[in-house]
Amino acid sequence: MTFLCAGVRSENNSSAEPLRLVGGASRCAGTVEVKLRGEWRRGKVYGRLDRWDLGATAAVCRELDCGSAVSGRERYDVPQSRVWRISPDLVKKSTVRKCVMNTDFPSSSWGLEVVCSDWVRLVSGSGLCSGSVQIWDQSWTWLCEEALDLQGAEVLCRELGCGAPSLLQGAVSPLGLQTFFCEGHESALRDCPCSSSRTCSSGAAVNLTCSEPLRLVGGASRCAGIVEVKHRGEWRRVEVYDRLDRWDLGATAAVCRELDCGSAVSGGERDGFPQSRVWEITSDCVNKSTVRECVVSRDSSSSSWALEVVCSDLLNRPIISLSVLDGASEALPQGVRVKPGSKFRVKCSVEPQFPGGSFQLLPPTVNLTQNHTLPAVNHSAHFLFSDTGPAHKGNYTCVYHLQVFNHAFSSQSHALQLYVGGQGQRRR
C-alpha cells in the first residue's frame, strides 16, 4: 500500500449520519447541522452562559472523523431559521445529537462554525498541538518518521493553528529523503511537493510537538505580562468570559507551565487598557486544558480588560565570566586555566531589566572570599581573588537576586570551571 500525497476526502454526507458541516470548503469545514426527528437544523449553544470553545470544536471534528480542530466559533450573522440548542460541555463527552437540550426553540440567526484539518491530524498528544502525525489515505494512516523535515513540520504546525515546532522526533538528515518537500511558506502540508511513502506502525511514526500560540507581552521578560492568544490567525488580548468567573492562581500556574516559565507568582484581571477586540476564556477550563482550547469562540465586543500574569522565571539568566589580572590564562571548552599565584576576577552581569538587585557568587569552597554577595552596579558585580591555589579550582556560579512586584526572584547562571596550573597553550 502506498501513501497518497494529497488524499481527497469524500464530500458525500450520508443521510444516516446525524451530523454534518455545510457551506465550507470541504466536508470538514462549515456550519454545524444536526439531524433530529428527521429534520436537519443548524446548531447553536444552549444558553447565554454556555460557551463554545476549541475543545467542543475538537469533539465535532472527532465525531466526523475530520482530523484536528483548527478553529471554531459562534456566529450571529446567518439566516434566520429554526435551530437545535446544544450543550458544549456535553459535546466533549458524547455525540452532538445526544447533546441537543431542547427541541422547541424559535428561529435564530446564531450558528456554530467549525473548521477541522481535514486530512492531517495529531493523535495521542498532551493537547491539540502535539502527538503522532496521521494522514488520510482512504483511512487514517501513520506518517512514517522519515517523512518530515523542519520546513514540513513548520507548515504542519501552522496548518493546525499552532505555533512553531518545538520538538520533532523522526526528522531525517538533510539528504532529500523526506516524503514532503516544503519550503516553509506553504499554508498546508498538502501544498508541498511530495513523493510516495510506505505506511508504518504507530511506533515508527513522526512525533511532533508544536508550541502553543500563547505569549505574555508588555512585561520585563517573556515570563511576565499581559496574556495574548493567537486564535483564527489573530493575536488578541485575553479576558475572562464572565464577570462571575474568577481568574485564580491555579489558572495562572497553568499559563506559566504552558510557557515553560516556572511556577505562578501572581495573576489577575486588570481594567484600563485601550479598547480592543479580545478573546474570552474560562479559568476553570484553563486548569484542565491548554489555554488555546479554552478560548470561547465567538465574535465578542471590544473590551478594556486583560489578564496579567507573572511567573517565577521572570529574570534573565545572569552571565558569568572570568579574567586574569596579572598572569597568563588558557581558554578551555569547559572554562579557564590560570597559573598558580595569579590574581583573577569573576564578573557577574545581567541584561538590563530592572534596577537594583544583588549578585551572589557560589565558589567551589565557601571560605575563599569574605563577601560572596555584592550589590548590582550597572547590572553587574565583580569578585576579586588573589594568590590562586588548589582551593580555587572548581565550578563558579552567579545567582542574581531581585525584589520586584513585592516578590523575591532569583536566577542562576551556567557554571564556569576554573583550572589551576597544568600545561597548555597560553595567551594574554
Side-chain angles (χ1 to χ4, degrees):
M1 181 178 179
T2 59
F3 165 78
L4 296 179
C5 288
V8 177
R9 299 296 297 265
S10 171
E11 297 299 321
N12 178 42
N13 283 310
S14 170
S15 59
E17 297 177 0
L19 176 66
R20 66 187 182 190
L21 302 178
V22 299
S26 75
R27 64 170 294 269
C28 293
T31 302
V32 176
E33 290 191 352
V34 183
K35 188 177 184 181
L36 185 65
R37 297 181 178 177
E39 182 182 358
W40 285 102
R41 292 187 191 177
R42 195 170 62 241
K44 73 173 293 290
V45 294
Y46 177 67
R48 185 181 63 84
L49 296 180
D50 284 309
R51 54 264 185 179
W52 186 268
D53 55 28
L54 205 59
T57 298
V60 171
C61 294
R62 285 194 299 271
E63 188 172 341
L64 289 171
D65 203 21
C66 273
S68 298
V70 176
S71 68
R73 61 168 175 159
E74 296 177 65
R75 293 185 57 183
Y76 58 87
D77 56 349
V78 288
Q80 285 276 340
S81 67
R82 293 186 64 81
V83 296
W84 299 123
R85 293 192 292 177
I86 299 170
S87 166
D89 289 337
L90 292 180
V91 166
K92 300 175 186 179
K93 307 170 186 177
S94 185
T95 63
V96 174
R97 185 170 181 267
K98 292 181 179 179
C99 301
V100 174
M101 302 300 292
N102 193 319
T103 58
D104 297 318
F105 192 77
S107 62
S108 171
S109 60
W110 284 87
L112 298 171
E113 184 181 74
V114 162
V115 178
C116 312
S117 58
D118 194 356
W119 76 291
V120 61
R121 68 182 183 182
L122 300 177
V123 298
S124 303
S126 58
L128 295 180
C129 290
S130 68
S132 298
V133 183
Q134 288 188 332
I135 297 289
W136 179 262
D137 182 14
Q138 310 307 314
S139 63
W140 289 107
T141 184
W142 302 99
L143 189 62
C144 299
E145 60 183 8
E146 73 275 9
L148 286 181
D149 60 5
L150 182 58
Q151 286 73 30
E154 290 174 350
V155 172
L156 179 53
C157 289
R158 183 164 57 248
E159 181 178 358
L160 298 180
C162 302
S166 57
L167 178 63
L168 176 60
Q169 296 176 338
V172 300
S173 57
L175 298 176
L177 299 178
Q178 66 268 29
T179 299
F180 290 92
F181 300 88
C182 302
E183 296 181 4
H185 58 77
E186 296 86 352
S187 60
L189 196 61
R190 70 195 313 168
D191 297 333
C192 302
C194 63
S195 61
S196 296
S197 173
R198 72 181 193 281
T199 58
C200 54
S201 65
S202 59
V206 173
N207 290 303
L208 176 63
T209 299
C210 311
S211 59
E212 293 289 340
L214 172 69
R215 66 187 183 190
L216 302 178
V217 300
S221 81
R222 58 173 293 272
C223 293
I226 303 303
V227 181
E228 287 190 354
V229 176
K230 189 178 184 181
H231 183 57
R232 287 163 38 194
E234 182 181 355
W235 285 102
R236 291 187 190 176
R237 203 169 61 231
V238 171
E239 71 164 0
V240 292
Y241 173 70
D242 188 87
R243 294 271 69 84
L244 297 178
D245 196 3
R246 290 291 179 266
W247 185 265
D248 56 24
L249 203 60
T252 299
V255 171
C256 294
R257 285 194 302 270
E258 198 167 320
L259 289 170
D260 195 23
C261 277
S263 56
V265 175
S266 65
E269 303 169 65
R270 282 182 53 192
D271 195 5
F273 289 88
Q275 287 280 334
S276 66
R277 303 280 286 178
V278 297
W279 295 123
E280 295 172 312
I281 204 165
T282 55
S283 59
D284 59 337
C285 176
V286 171
N287 281 299
K288 306 169 188 175
S289 188
T290 65
V291 174
R292 177 172 170 257
E293 290 179 58
C294 299
V295 172
V296 178
S297 300
R298 67 175 185 174
D299 291 323
S300 60
S301 59
S302 61
S303 171
S304 61
W305 285 84
L307 294 172
E308 186 175 54
V309 163
V310 177
C311 307
S312 61
D313 287 355
L314 170 80
L315 302 179
N316 290 330
R317 183 187 290 270
I319 302 166
I320 185 170
S321 60
L322 185 148
S323 58
V324 178
L325 303 180
D326 63 350
S329 66
E330 178 188 2
L332 300 174
Q334 301 86 3
V336 179
R337 190 192 306 277
V338 302
K339 288 180 59 177
S342 61
K343 182 186 296 185
F344 69 92
R345 180 174 61 195
V346 175
K347 178 182 178 181
C348 299
S349 61
V350 69
E351 291 294 324
Q353 283 180 282
F354 304 97
S358 63
F359 287 98
Q360 179 187 11
L361 182 67
L362 304 179
T365 307
V366 295
N367 61 356
L368 282 178
T369 179
Q370 297 268 334
N371 190 0
H372 296 287
T373 302
L374 294 174
V377 179
N378 293 326
H379 309 288
S380 64
H382 298 85
F383 299 86
L384 185 63
F385 297 86
S386 302
D387 195 20
T388 304
H392 294 85
K393 182 175 63 175
N395 287 327
Y396 292 75
T397 306
C398 295
V399 182
Y400 180 50
H401 299 280
L402 184 70
Q403 187 83 14
V404 66
F405 300 136
N406 296 318
H407 293 276
F409 292 88
S410 63
S411 180
Q412 187 166 318
S413 72
H414 295 293
L416 184 149
Q417 188 161 6
L418 177 69
Y419 301 87
V420 179
Q423 300 295 319
Q425 183 180 359
R426 296 176 177 176
R427 64 180 185 180
R428 288 187 181 271

